[in-house]
Amino acid sequence: MVRAVWGSRLGFILAAAGSAIGLGAIWKFPYVTAKHGGGAFLLLFLLIVFTLGISIMIAEMMVGQIAQKSPVGAYRHFGGRPWALAGYIGVLCGFLILSFYSVIGGWTIFYLVKSVEGGILTSDMLQLRQIFESFITHPVEPLWYHAAFMAVTASVVLAGVQKGIERISKSLLALLFLLILVLIVRSLTLPGALEGALYFLMPDFSKLNAQMLLEAMGLAFFSLSLGMGCMMTYGSYVSNETSIPRSAACVVGLTVAICILVGLMILPAVFAFGLNPAEGPGLTFIIMPAVFSHMGGGAFFSVLFFFLLFVAALTSSVSLMEVVTCFFMDEFGLPRLGVAIVMAALMFAVGIAASLSFGAWRPYTLFGRSFFDLLDYLTSNLMMPFGGIMVTLLAGWKACGEIAARLKPESGIIPRWWPAMKWFCRIIAPLLILLILIRSL
Ligand code: PFF
């Protein structure tokens, strides 16, 4: 089978940014940051992103590019058989994430439909919360939207790498940036908004604790699509001539920029409308309609916003499904069509339990967490950091020779930062992740 390649370097950057920027930045980042008290958590998140995040991004993409294989094959290529286990765990992690990701993806479709109908433009917090609660706790309705989201994801993956994934990513990003900027202006000029901006930006270090370190790390891995081989898979579609480090830095920079802008869009409004910042997973969905109800052309902007949120979620879900699909294609020579359909059906089935755990199954918990929370915690806070340890070890010890050789042709000499990064990957990064895991478990 001939391996797919991206049409251009820009296409690759946008597709990788499309994978990173999704529900993580627009749905999860604001509610988790708000829940943990704002500024100090933001600072932790940024620290982790610009140390661990960027190194793992470069490591994953380069390992994928050199090996030209799915994560399992790539680990095996450099480390031999035992290392392939890390690849298998990555694929499983992708499977589990998409199972619950698609549930939230379904919520975005529901809100898109609602905003087209014009039924959510109010600043009555009680009513907005009631719309949200009665939808997510309904036993059947969210499942239809979950199914729709999964079906759209599968059909994009079926269209293949370049035609499907690259094309939708290209048009999205600029529009998303522009819209968020407009919404920030509205949010920041609401009466009482300043307090929210300060809550988000001013660190209060007395709020820090070890558990937050794990949450910030998990959020960083999730938001950047790291630690499960997604960026490795995307890297494996990059031609040999394309330079990775700068592309990786662009992807990290774009994602962080969107996270911060989204924080500035949501938190001021949360304070202006008197919503509790620790509202939880409903935060973005409850607060944004209130913002739209206070702006000229609010109906139009709400449709545009939820449409873009849906597309942002889609470019990420597609990357998750691509990891799983690419694995079965590479390892077993199975056809894309069959794999994508069967996997979509299985992930839909697991997602049913995740969706029900917001409603009928809410009383059933394990370690005090609902099934949805459990999947989220397990993948973001345990499996992805584990993948981060494995990929940095791989890049630092097993793949370092080939990575150094690959970095050379750019300028004829190995970049000055490489020795530092090599040792960071060999020792510091794995230890750091391990310490954070141990401290907070
Ligand atoms: N980064 C995506 C988001 O923030 O929505 C989620 C994600 C995509 C995680 C792909 C992991 C992944 F491999």
Side-chain angles (χ1 to χ4, degrees), residues 18-26 28 94 97 101 219 221-226 228-231 255 312-313 315-317 319-320 323 384:
S19 162
I21 298 166
L23 293 172
I26 308 172
K28 193 171 179 182
I97 294 181
Y101 199 88
L219 186 62
F221 275 98
F222 187 86
S223 306
L224 293 171
S225 307
L226 294 179
M228 47 150 287
C230 175
M231 291 304 173
T255 311
T315 52
S316 305
S317 63
S319 72
L320 286 159
V323 172
M384 296 173 109

Side-chain angles (χ1 to χ4, degrees), residues 13-26 29-30 42 45-46 49-50 53-54 57 61 101 173 176-177 180 200 219-226 231 247-263 316:
I13 294 178
L14 291 181
S19 162
I21 298 166
L23 293 172
I26 308 172
F29 172 80
L42 173 66
F45 173 78
L46 292 178
V49 163
F50 286 115
I54 191 138
M57 183 71 82
M61 287 176 167
Y101 199 88
L173 208 60
L176 188 66
F177 256 109
I180 292 177
F200 178 56
L219 186 62
F221 275 98
F222 187 86
S223 306
L224 293 171
S225 307
L226 294 179
M231 291 304 173
S247 312
C250 279
V251 174
V252 174
L254 284 170
T255 311
V256 170
I258 293 271
C259 284
I260 293 181
L261 292 177
V262 167
S316 305

Side-chain angles (χ1 to χ4, degrees), residues 127-149:
Q127 195 187 342
L128 285 172
R129 179 176 296 109
Q130 208 241 330
I131 294 173
F132 178 73
E133 283 285 326
S134 63
F135 169 64
I136 66 164
T137 54
H138 194 280
V140 187
E141 206 183 352
L143 297 182
W144 289 115
Y145 290 97
H146 165 42
F149 188 84

Side-chain angles (χ1 to χ4, degrees), residues 224-283:
L224 293 171
S225 307
L226 294 179
M228 47 150 287
C230 175
M231 291 304 173
M232 226 183 257
T233 306
Y234 273 25
S236 78
Y237 302 141
V238 175
S239 64
N240 286 332
E241 303 75 48
T242 305
S243 142
I244 292 280
R246 246 182 279 152
S247 312
C250 279
V251 174
V252 174
L254 284 170
T255 311
V256 170
I258 293 271
C259 284
I260 293 181
L261 292 177
V262 167
L264 285 173
M265 170 180 89
I266 301 233
L267 277 158
V270 166
F271 278 70
F273 290 110
L275 193 67
N276 178 4
E279 175 70 34
L283 198 66

Side-chain angles (χ1 to χ4, degrees), residues 175-218:
L175 200 55
L176 188 66
F177 256 109
L178 270 180
L179 177 67
I180 292 177
L181 286 180
V182 172
L183 295 176
I184 287 178
V185 173
R186 173 65 284 201
S187 183
L188 277 173
T189 48
L190 289 165
L194 191 64
E195 208 187 326
L198 292 178
Y199 181 86
F200 178 56
L201 296 174
M202 301 298 278
D204 172 359
F205 294 106
S206 66
K207 289 180 179 155
L208 286 180
N209 59 46
Q211 184 58 30
M212 275 163 64
L213 211 55
L214 182 67
E215 295 273 347
M217 180 168 74

Side-chain angles (χ1 to χ4, degrees), residues 297-311:
F300 166 75
F301 282 112
S302 71
V303 174
L304 188 60
F305 175 79
F306 285 111
F307 174 70
L308 288 178
L309 182 56
F310 161 69
V311 182

